[in-house]
Amino acid sequence: MAKKRKRSSEAPAPAAEKADDSAPERPQRTLFGFKDQPDSAAELVSKDGAAGAPFRNKEKVLITCSRRIIYRYRHLMLNVVSLLPHAKKDSKVESKQSKGGQLNELVELRSCSSCLFFECRKQKDLYLWMVKSPAGPSVKFLVNAVHTMEELKLTGNHLKGSRPLLTFSSNFDQQPHWKLLKEMITQIFATPKDHRKAKPFHDHVFVFSIVDEHIWFRNYQISVPHNEIDKVDKGGLDKMTLVEVGPRFCLNPIKIFGGSFGGPTLYENPFYVSPNQIRALEKRKKAGKYAHKVKAKVRRKEHEKANHLEPDEFADIWKGED
């Protein structure tokens, strides 16, 4: 038989404590990279001599619409989908249901961080929800002056999937709500670098300008001569031209909310007039025209009663000859 081992009276030595291998706290990141590098990360870089993994923008946009949307607005949505290679299109959503909960679930299921929801009401009015999910903020726009690519038939053309340049008018830096809208538009419409569906060059421009408290959108192709004689040198922007591609639309901001598809109201447009009020005023004007005609007839009858015509003495002079 094998001999049993004797139990040693000495206690086992405690295990050596492992060094803390956890990564340092990540700094605040934006669309264009990290803002400031913390001291701990800077010390780590100085010790190891190599920086951590660079920031990668993984912005994805879910684009969907409500049911009973008319064809013009549906074509506009498809044009926007074709312009954004980092967008994902989903099936229609019933607008009468709770939009917030259902759409937030869709955004989470599709692994997206933003949402563009085209909501059509009465088959006449188009509203656009621009949302950052899940924490917000969200903006509700009224879309006017819609012109799709099929309607315009412009001569401009650019490669599908290429990254756009975003330009904003100077009005966006004047008030806080315009600054917020500028940041949201930049994050949603700017194609992430090194996206798998994006081309690594720029050949078109998205123009956002504020006129009469409305945001006007235009899409232009950057046209450059390709002949060897007319080859553009560095800085030779005078030879470049812009050719409009489309689509065109105008965004009238209604409200800015603090959450996703709702929440506290951060801003409300004091100049906004709903389309229902505009149609009601037009009906009142037409009803006013009819009432004016009725009153004119009544005044004419009263005038005829008050001023009788005297009998004409020559009215019956030719009656006997027949």
Side-chain angles (χ1 to χ4, degrees):
M1 293 181 64
K3 294 183 179 180
K4 294 184 180 179
R5 293 182 180 178
K6 295 182 180 180
R7 293 182 181 180
S8 59
S9 59
E10 298 178 358
E17 296 183 358
K18 294 184 179 180
D20 188 9
D21 297 336
S22 60
E25 184 180 357
R26 298 188 70 182
Q28 185 180 3
R29 65 180 185 180
T30 62
L31 184 67
F32 304 105
F34 292 122
K35 278 190 174 181
D36 296 319
Q37 197 175 32
D39 298 336
S40 59
E43 293 175 0
L44 183 63
V45 170
S46 61
K47 290 179 181 178
D48 299 343
F55 167 71
R56 184 178 178 184
N57 183 14
K58 296 183 179 180
E59 182 76 23
K60 296 178 184 177
V61 184
L62 177 68
I63 300 180
T64 183
C65 64
S66 62
R67 295 192 180 275
R68 292 174 294 276
I69 190 172
I70 61 176
Y71 70 97
R72 292 186 70 249
Y73 298 153
R74 180 167 51 83
H75 290 178
L76 175 66
M77 183 192 68
L78 294 177
N79 293 156
V80 175
V81 171
S82 64
L83 291 177
L84 304 179
H86 59 290
K88 293 184 178 181
K89 182 178 175 296
D90 207 294
S91 57
K92 297 179 181 179
V93 179
E94 185 63 48
S95 61
K96 291 184 179 180
Q97 298 177 358
S98 59
K99 296 188 294 294
Q102 186 176 1
L103 285 171
N104 284 331
E105 289 179 3
L106 279 176
V107 172
E108 185 178 358
L109 288 174
R110 299 300 297 271
S111 301
C112 297
S113 57
S114 305
C115 179
L116 292 177
F117 177 60
F118 292 83
E119 182 181 5
C120 184
R121 295 183 183 175
K122 298 184 178 180
Q123 295 188 344
K124 297 178 181 179
D125 309 325
L126 179 64
Y127 296 90
L128 173 63
W129 284 85
M130 191 179 295
V131 180
K132 295 294 294 181
S133 182
S138 57
V139 190
K140 186 178 182 182
F141 296 98
L142 174 67
V143 185
N144 296 320
V146 174
H147 299 283
T148 61
M149 292 183 182
E150 292 80 5
E151 294 175 355
L152 294 173
K153 295 181 180 179
L154 297 171
T155 58
N157 188 19
H158 59 79
L159 191 65
K160 185 175 181 179
S162 58
R163 299 178 64 198
L165 297 173
L166 270 64
T167 61
F168 297 89
S169 61
S170 59
N171 308 356
F172 278 96
D173 297 328
Q174 293 181 357
Q175 296 181 7
H177 65 279
W178 291 124
K179 292 181 181 179
L180 175 61
L181 291 178
K182 179 181 177 181
E183 181 64 25
M184 290 186 65
I185 291 171
T186 303
Q187 294 187 16
I188 292 176
F189 283 87
T191 304
K193 187 179 179 182
D194 299 330
H195 191 272
R196 61 187 181 87
K197 292 185 179 179
K199 306 298 186 298
F201 50 85
H202 304 270
D203 65 345
H204 62 290
V205 185
F206 289 166
V207 180
F208 297 91
S209 54
I210 299 176
V211 180
D212 297 333
E213 301 297 325
H214 292 62
I215 300 176
W216 297 80
F217 172 82
R218 294 291 185 271
N219 179 25
Y220 295 97
Q221 174 200 358
I222 303 175
S223 179
V224 182
H226 296 285
N227 299 332
E228 291 294 333
I229 302 174
D230 300 332
K231 190 174 181 181
V232 178
D233 300 328
K234 291 185 178 180
L237 300 178
D238 53 341
K239 294 183 180 180
M240 296 184 183
T241 56
L242 296 179
V243 184
E244 188 172 358
V245 181
R248 297 176 181 174
F249 55 87
C250 173
L251 301 177
N252 184 12
I254 302 174
K255 282 185 179 182
I256 300 178
F257 300 97
S260 178
F261 290 101
T265 303
L266 304 180
Y267 170 77
E268 185 173 1
N269 188 2
F271 306 104
Y272 170 72
V273 181
S274 67
N276 293 329
Q277 294 180 355
I278 296 174
R279 286 191 287 266
L281 290 174
E282 292 178 354
K283 286 184 179 180
R284 287 177 188 174
K285 286 182 181 179
K286 293 180 180 179
K289 289 182 181 179
Y290 177 74
H292 181 70
K293 289 181 181 179
V294 172
K295 290 180 182 179
K297 287 181 180 179
V298 173
R299 286 197 302 268
R300 180 63 183 172
K301 289 180 180 179
E302 292 177 354
H303 177 74
E304 289 177 355
K305 289 179 181 179
N307 302 287
H308 289 285
L309 292 175
E310 296 180 358
D312 189 6
E313 57 182 1
F314 300 106
D316 301 332
I317 192 170
W318 305 107
K319 275 188 177 182
E321 294 185 0
D322 296 340

mmCIF file of all heavy atoms in Angstrom, residues 214-247:
data_model
loop_
_atom_site.group_PDB
_atom_site.id
_atom_site.type_symbol
_atom_site.label_atom_id
_atom_site.label_comp_id
_atom_site.label_asym_id
_atom_site.label_seq_id
_atom_site.Cartn_x
_atom_site.Cartn_y
_atom_site.Cartn_z
ATOM 1 N N HIS A 214 -35.996 78.656 -41.582
ATOM 2 C CA HIS A 214 -36.143 77.330 -42.165
ATOM 3 C C HIS A 214 -34.764 76.819 -42.584
ATOM 4 O O HIS A 214 -33.894 77.608 -42.952
ATOM 5 C CB HIS A 214 -37.067 77.344 -43.388
ATOM 6 C CG HIS A 214 -38.507 77.626 -43.059
ATOM 7 N ND1 HIS A 214 -38.924 78.806 -42.481
ATOM 8 C CD2 HIS A 214 -39.627 76.876 -43.240
ATOM 9 C CE1 HIS A 214 -40.234 78.775 -42.314
ATOM 10 N NE2 HIS A 214 -40.687 77.615 -42.768
ATOM 11 N N ILE A 215 -34.588 75.503 -42.542
ATOM 12 C CA ILE A 215 -33.342 74.879 -42.993
ATOM 13 C C ILE A 215 -33.562 74.336 -44.401
ATOM 14 O O ILE A 215 -34.420 73.470 -44.615
ATOM 15 C CB ILE A 215 -32.909 73.740 -42.052
ATOM 16 C CG1 ILE A 215 -32.688 74.275 -40.632
ATOM 17 C CG2 ILE A 215 -31.642 73.071 -42.554
ATOM 18 C CD1 ILE A 215 -32.355 73.197 -39.612
ATOM 19 N N TRP A 216 -32.807 74.849 -45.362
ATOM 20 C CA TRP A 216 -32.928 74.444 -46.757
ATOM 21 C C TRP A 216 -31.785 73.500 -47.091
ATOM 22 O O TRP A 216 -30.621 73.789 -46.822
ATOM 23 C CB TRP A 216 -32.895 75.659 -47.674
ATOM 24 C CG TRP A 216 -34.042 76.592 -47.455
ATOM 25 C CD1 TRP A 216 -34.157 77.524 -46.466
ATOM 26 C CD2 TRP A 216 -35.258 76.657 -48.214
ATOM 27 N NE1 TRP A 216 -35.371 78.174 -46.564
ATOM 28 C CE2 TRP A 216 -36.063 77.668 -47.629
ATOM 29 C CE3 TRP A 216 -35.730 75.963 -49.327
ATOM 30 C CZ2 TRP A 216 -37.318 77.995 -48.135
ATOM 31 C CZ3 TRP A 216 -36.980 76.289 -49.830
ATOM 32 C CH2 TRP A 216 -37.766 77.292 -49.237
ATOM 33 N N PHE A 217 -32.128 72.366 -47.702
ATOM 34 C CA PHE A 217 -31.144 71.320 -48.043
ATOM 35 C C PHE A 217 -30.926 71.285 -49.552
ATOM 36 O O PHE A 217 -31.881 71.313 -50.335
ATOM 37 C CB PHE A 217 -31.629 69.958 -47.563
ATOM 38 C CG PHE A 217 -30.764 68.813 -48.033
ATOM 39 C CD1 PHE A 217 -29.597 68.491 -47.366
ATOM 40 C CD2 PHE A 217 -31.114 68.068 -49.158
ATOM 41 C CE1 PHE A 217 -28.802 67.436 -47.800
ATOM 42 C CE2 PHE A 217 -30.329 67.018 -49.589
ATOM 43 C CZ PHE A 217 -29.173 66.705 -48.914
ATOM 44 N N ARG A 218 -29.650 71.232 -49.944
ATOM 45 C CA ARG A 218 -29.272 71.070 -51.347
ATOM 46 C C ARG A 218 -28.104 70.081 -51.427
ATOM 47 O O ARG A 218 -27.278 70.007 -50.513
ATOM 48 C CB ARG A 218 -28.861 72.404 -51.981
ATOM 49 C CG ARG A 218 -29.978 73.425 -52.116
ATOM 50 C CD ARG A 218 -31.001 72.985 -53.139
ATOM 51 N NE ARG A 218 -32.009 74.015 -53.351
ATOM 52 C CZ ARG A 218 -33.134 74.120 -52.653
ATOM 53 N NH1 ARG A 218 -33.365 73.245 -51.671
ATOM 54 N NH2 ARG A 218 -34.006 75.057 -52.920
ATOM 55 N N ASN A 219 -28.029 69.371 -52.545
ATOM 56 C CA ASN A 219 -26.970 68.387 -52.778
ATOM 57 C C ASN A 219 -26.311 68.715 -54.108
ATOM 58 O O ASN A 219 -26.986 68.743 -55.146
ATOM 59 C CB ASN A 219 -27.556 66.973 -52.794
ATOM 60 C CG ASN A 219 -26.503 65.921 -53.052
ATOM 61 O OD1 ASN A 219 -25.317 66.131 -52.778
ATOM 62 N ND2 ASN A 219 -26.912 64.788 -53.590
ATOM 63 N N TYR A 220 -24.989 68.976 -54.081
ATOM 64 C CA TYR A 220 -24.254 69.377 -55.285
ATOM 65 C C TYR A 220 -23.122 68.394 -55.558
ATOM 66 O O TYR A 220 -22.471 67.895 -54.633
ATOM 67 C CB TYR A 220 -23.655 70.782 -55.123
ATOM 68 C CG TYR A 220 -24.679 71.877 -54.994
ATOM 69 C CD1 TYR A 220 -25.053 72.358 -53.741
ATOM 70 C CD2 TYR A 220 -25.267 72.456 -56.115
ATOM 71 C CE1 TYR A 220 -25.981 73.372 -53.620
ATOM 72 C CE2 TYR A 220 -26.202 73.472 -55.997
ATOM 73 C CZ TYR A 220 -26.556 73.925 -54.745
ATOM 74 O OH TYR A 220 -27.484 74.924 -54.622
ATOM 75 N N GLN A 221 -22.889 68.154 -56.837
ATOM 76 C CA GLN A 221 -21.736 67.382 -57.266
ATOM 77 C C GLN A 221 -20.541 68.305 -57.458
ATOM 78 O O GLN A 221 -20.682 69.416 -57.969
ATOM 79 C CB GLN A 221 -22.033 66.664 -58.591
ATOM 80 C CG GLN A 221 -20.840 65.957 -59.200
ATOM 81 C CD GLN A 221 -21.025 65.704 -60.676
ATOM 82 O OE1 GLN A 221 -22.056 66.029 -61.249
ATOM 83 N NE2 GLN A 221 -20.025 65.128 -61.309
ATOM 84 N N ILE A 222 -19.365 67.862 -57.035
ATOM 85 C CA ILE A 222 -18.128 68.612 -57.269
ATOM 86 C C ILE A 222 -17.578 68.178 -58.618
ATOM 87 O O ILE A 222 -17.083 67.057 -58.778
ATOM 88 C CB ILE A 222 -17.102 68.353 -56.149
ATOM 89 C CG1 ILE A 222 -17.697 68.716 -54.790
ATOM 90 C CG2 ILE A 222 -15.831 69.144 -56.399
ATOM 91 C CD1 ILE A 222 -16.799 68.377 -53.628
ATOM 92 N N SER A 223 -17.693 69.057 -59.593
ATOM 93 C CA SER A 223 -17.270 68.730 -60.957
ATOM 94 C C SER A 223 -15.871 69.287 -61.188
ATOM 95 O O SER A 223 -15.621 70.485 -61.003
ATOM 96 C CB SER A 223 -18.252 69.322 -61.973
ATOM 97 O OG SER A 223 -17.848 69.037 -63.287
ATOM 98 N N VAL A 224 -14.963 68.400 -61.606
ATOM 99 C CA VAL A 224 -13.565 68.757 -61.844
ATOM 100 C C VAL A 224 -13.200 68.340 -63.260
ATOM 101 O O VAL A 224 -13.509 67.212 -63.672
ATOM 102 C CB VAL A 224 -12.619 68.070 -60.829
ATOM 103 C CG1 VAL A 224 -11.181 68.495 -61.056
ATOM 104 C CG2 VAL A 224 -13.045 68.381 -59.414
ATOM 105 N N PRO A 225 -12.557 69.199 -64.068
ATOM 106 C CA PRO A 225 -12.141 68.787 -65.418
ATOM 107 C C PRO A 225 -11.083 67.691 -65.348
ATOM 108 O O PRO A 225 -10.152 67.750 -64.552
ATOM 109 C CB PRO A 225 -11.586 70.076 -66.034
ATOM 110 C CG PRO A 225 -11.257 70.950 -64.878
ATOM 111 C CD PRO A 225 -12.254 70.617 -63.802
ATOM 112 N N HIS A 226 -11.231 66.692 -66.222
ATOM 113 C CA HIS A 226 -10.344 65.529 -66.191
ATOM 114 C C HIS A 226 -9.347 65.510 -67.340
ATOM 115 O O HIS A 226 -8.604 64.544 -67.485
ATOM 116 C CB HIS A 226 -11.174 64.240 -66.231
ATOM 117 C CG HIS A 226 -12.036 64.069 -65.027
ATOM 118 N ND1 HIS A 226 -11.548 63.703 -63.799
ATOM 119 C CD2 HIS A 226 -13.371 64.253 -64.853
ATOM 120 C CE1 HIS A 226 -12.533 63.639 -62.921
ATOM 121 N NE2 HIS A 226 -13.656 63.964 -63.535
ATOM 122 N N ASN A 227 -9.337 66.524 -68.196
ATOM 123 C CA ASN A 227 -8.361 66.541 -69.281
ATOM 124 C C ASN A 227 -6.964 66.783 -68.731
ATOM 125 O O ASN A 227 -6.777 67.426 -67.685
ATOM 126 C CB ASN A 227 -8.711 67.638 -70.298
ATOM 127 C CG ASN A 227 -10.077 67.385 -70.910
ATOM 128 O OD1 ASN A 227 -10.510 66.242 -70.992
ATOM 129 N ND2 ASN A 227 -10.739 68.442 -71.325
ATOM 130 N N GLU A 228 -5.977 66.298 -69.465
ATOM 131 C CA GLU A 228 -4.592 66.500 -69.037
ATOM 132 C C GLU A 228 -4.211 67.967 -69.086
ATOM 133 O O GLU A 228 -3.431 68.462 -68.283
ATOM 134 C CB GLU A 228 -3.658 65.675 -69.926
ATOM 135 C CG GLU A 228 -3.780 64.168 -69.737
ATOM 136 C CD GLU A 228 -3.332 63.740 -68.359
ATOM 137 O OE1 GLU A 228 -2.497 64.443 -67.767
ATOM 138 O OE2 GLU A 228 -3.840 62.713 -67.857
ATOM 139 N N ILE A 229 -4.787 68.689 -70.059
ATOM 140 C CA ILE A 229 -4.454 70.119 -70.182
ATOM 141 C C ILE A 229 -5.066 70.895 -69.029
ATOM 142 O O ILE A 229 -4.437 71.776 -68.438
ATOM 143 C CB ILE A 229 -4.942 70.664 -71.534
ATOM 144 C CG1 ILE A 229 -4.297 69.860 -72.670
ATOM 145 C CG2 ILE A 229 -4.621 72.149 -71.669
ATOM 146 C CD1 ILE A 229 -4.820 70.221 -74.034
ATOM 147 N N ASP A 230 -6.324 70.554 -68.695
ATOM 148 C CA ASP A 230 -7.049 71.295 -67.660
ATOM 149 C C ASP A 230 -6.935 70.631 -66.292
ATOM 150 O O ASP A 230 -7.830 70.755 -65.463
ATOM 151 C CB ASP A 230 -8.530 71.395 -68.038
ATOM 152 C CG ASP A 230 -8.715 72.120 -69.349
ATOM 153 O OD1 ASP A 230 -7.854 72.954 -69.662
ATOM 154 O OD2 ASP A 230 -9.712 71.849 -70.046
ATOM 155 N N LYS A 231 -5.867 69.904 -66.066
ATOM 156 C CA LYS A 231 -5.715 69.218 -64.787
ATOM 157 C C LYS A 231 -5.599 70.233 -63.657
ATOM 158 O O LYS A 231 -4.855 71.207 -63.751
ATOM 159 C CB LYS A 231 -4.459 68.336 -64.815
ATOM 160 C CG LYS A 231 -4.358 67.405 -63.622
ATOM 161 C CD LYS A 231 -3.177 66.465 -63.770
ATOM 162 C CE LYS A 231 -3.096 65.518 -62.592
ATOM 163 N NZ LYS A 231 -1.936 64.614 -62.714
ATOM 164 N N VAL A 232 -6.364 69.997 -62.587
ATOM 165 C CA VAL A 232 -6.446 70.950 -61.481
ATOM 166 C C VAL A 232 -5.239 70.771 -60.573
ATOM 167 O O VAL A 232 -4.945 69.659 -60.110
ATOM 168 C CB VAL A 232 -7.757 70.752 -60.696
ATOM 169 C CG1 VAL A 232 -7.809 71.704 -59.510
ATOM 170 C CG2 VAL A 232 -8.944 70.960 -61.598
ATOM 171 N N ASP A 233 -4.537 71.865 -60.299
ATOM 172 C CA ASP A 233 -3.422 71.843 -59.364
ATOM 173 C C ASP A 233 -3.943 71.952 -57.942
ATOM 174 O O ASP A 233 -5.126 72.191 -57.693
ATOM 175 C CB ASP A 233 -2.455 72.988 -59.660
ATOM 176 C CG ASP A 233 -1.893 72.874 -61.071
ATOM 177 O OD1 ASP A 233 -1.746 71.737 -61.543
ATOM 178 O OD2 ASP A 233 -1.622 73.934 -61.684
ATOM 179 N N LYS A 234 -3.039 71.779 -56.992
ATOM 180 C CA LYS A 234 -3.426 71.942 -55.596
ATOM 181 C C LYS A 234 -3.809 73.389 -55.340
ATOM 182 O O LYS A 234 -3.049 74.305 -55.624
ATOM 183 C CB LYS A 234 -2.259 71.538 -54.684
ATOM 184 C CG LYS A 234 -1.970 70.038 -54.710
ATOM 185 C CD LYS A 234 -0.886 69.692 -53.707
ATOM 186 C CE LYS A 234 -0.626 68.184 -53.698
ATOM 187 N NZ LYS A 234 0.435 67.827 -52.736
ATOM 188 N N GLY A 235 -4.993 73.571 -54.780
ATOM 189 C CA GLY A 235 -5.470 74.923 -54.520
ATOM 190 C C GLY A 235 -6.155 75.559 -55.708
ATOM 191 O O GLY A 235 -6.605 76.706 -55.609
ATOM 192 N N GLY A 236 -6.269 74.864 -56.830
ATOM 193 C CA GLY A 236 -6.924 75.454 -57.992
ATOM 194 C C GLY A 236 -8.424 75.266 -57.947
ATOM 195 O O GLY A 236 -9.012 74.535 -58.769
ATOM 196 N N LEU A 237 -9.068 75.892 -56.983
ATOM 197 C CA LEU A 237 -10.504 75.734 -56.812
ATOM 198 C C LEU A 237 -11.303 76.537 -57.827
ATOM 199 O O LEU A 237 -12.512 76.340 -57.938
ATOM 200 C CB LEU A 237 -10.907 76.165 -55.390
ATOM 201 C CG LEU A 237 -10.250 75.381 -54.247
ATOM 202 C CD1 LEU A 237 -10.712 75.943 -52.915
ATOM 203 C CD2 LEU A 237 -10.593 73.906 -54.334
ATOM 204 N N ASP A 238 -10.654 77.468 -58.547
ATOM 205 C CA ASP A 238 -11.402 78.279 -59.501
ATOM 206 C C ASP A 238 -11.886 77.446 -60.683
ATOM 207 O O ASP A 238 -12.863 77.818 -61.347
ATOM 208 C CB ASP A 238 -10.532 79.447 -59.989
ATOM 209 C CG ASP A 238 -9.183 78.958 -60.518
ATOM 210 O OD1 ASP A 238 -8.802 77.824 -60.187
ATOM 211 O OD2 ASP A 238 -8.523 79.736 -61.238
ATOM 212 N N LYS A 239 -11.259 76.310 -60.960
ATOM 213 C CA LYS A 239 -11.676 75.458 -62.073
ATOM 214 C C LYS A 239 -12.776 74.477 -61.662
ATOM 215 O O LYS A 239 -13.415 73.886 -62.530
ATOM 216 C CB LYS A 239 -10.480 74.677 -62.619
ATOM 217 C CG LYS A 239 -9.421 75.554 -63.261
ATOM 218 C CD LYS A 239 -8.308 74.720 -63.840
ATOM 219 C CE LYS A 239 -7.233 75.603 -64.478
ATOM 220 N NZ LYS A 239 -6.130 74.788 -65.044
ATOM 221 N N MET A 240 -12.992 74.291 -60.368
ATOM 222 C CA MET A 240 -14.044 73.384 -59.903
ATOM 223 C C MET A 240 -15.397 74.070 -59.982
ATOM 224 O O MET A 240 -15.513 75.276 -59.730
ATOM 225 C CB MET A 240 -13.773 72.938 -58.468
ATOM 226 C CG MET A 240 -12.519 72.116 -58.289
ATOM 227 S SD MET A 240 -12.348 71.526 -56.592
ATOM 228 C CE MET A 240 -10.763 70.696 -56.684
ATOM 229 N N THR A 241 -16.405 73.298 -60.304
ATOM 230 C CA THR A 241 -17.777 73.812 -60.376
ATOM 231 C C THR A 241 -18.699 72.880 -59.590
ATOM 232 O O THR A 241 -18.383 71.704 -59.368
ATOM 233 C CB THR A 241 -18.261 73.907 -61.823
ATOM 234 O OG1 THR A 241 -18.146 72.615 -62.439
ATOM 235 C CG2 THR A 241 -17.453 74.932 -62.595
ATOM 236 N N LEU A 242 -19.841 73.425 -59.200
ATOM 237 C CA LEU A 242 -20.848 72.664 -58.475
ATOM 238 C C LEU A 242 -22.073 72.478 -59.363
ATOM 239 O O LEU A 242 -22.585 73.450 -59.918
ATOM 240 C CB LEU A 242 -21.239 73.367 -57.171
ATOM 241 C CG LEU A 242 -20.149 73.521 -56.109
ATOM 242 C CD1 LEU A 242 -20.699 74.263 -54.904
ATOM 243 C CD2 LEU A 242 -19.604 72.168 -55.685
ATOM 244 N N VAL A 243 -22.520 71.246 -59.486
ATOM 245 C CA VAL A 243 -23.699 70.916 -60.287
ATOM 246 C C VAL A 243 -24.706 70.252 -59.359
ATOM 247 O O VAL A 243 -24.381 69.267 -58.667
ATOM 248 C CB VAL A 243 -23.339 69.974 -61.448
ATOM 249 C CG1 VAL A 243 -24.572 69.728 -62.313
ATOM 250 C CG2 VAL A 243 -22.207 70.545 -62.277
ATOM 251 N N GLU A 244 -25.925 70.767 -59.323
ATOM 252 C CA GLU A 244 -26.920 70.243 -58.380
ATOM 253 C C GLU A 244 -27.390 68.857 -58.807
ATOM 254 O O GLU A 244 -27.625 68.585 -59.987
ATOM 255 C CB GLU A 244 -28.110 71.190 -58.268
ATOM 256 C CG GLU A 244 -29.067 70.776 -57.162
ATOM 257 C CD GLU A 244 -30.162 71.793 -56.904
ATOM 258 O OE1 GLU A 244 -30.146 72.847 -57.571
ATOM 259 O OE2 GLU A 244 -31.014 71.526 -56.049
ATOM 260 N N VAL A 245 -27.548 67.995 -57.802
ATOM 261 C CA VAL A 245 -27.988 66.624 -58.033
ATOM 262 C C VAL A 245 -29.426 66.430 -57.543
ATOM 263 O O VAL A 245 -30.258 65.848 -58.229
ATOM 264 C CB VAL A 245 -27.041 65.632 -57.326
ATOM 265 C CG1 VAL A 245 -27.467 64.195 -57.584
ATOM 266 C CG2 VAL A 245 -25.608 65.850 -57.779
ATOM 267 N N GLY A 246 -29.722 66.925 -56.350
ATOM 268 C CA GLY A 246 -31.023 66.691 -55.739
ATOM 269 C C GLY A 246 -30.879 65.641 -54.643
ATOM 270 O O GLY A 246 -29.839 64.990 -54.523
ATOM 271 N N PRO A 247 -31.893 65.444 -53.842
ATOM 272 C CA PRO A 247 -33.201 66.107 -53.842
ATOM 273 C C PRO A 247 -33.168 67.461 -53.131
ATOM 274 O O PRO A 247 -32.121 67.860 -52.623
ATOM 275 C CB PRO A 247 -34.058 65.118 -53.064
ATOM 276 C CG PRO A 247 -33.092 64.508 -52.087
ATOM 277 C CD PRO A 247 -31.780 64.406 -52.809
#
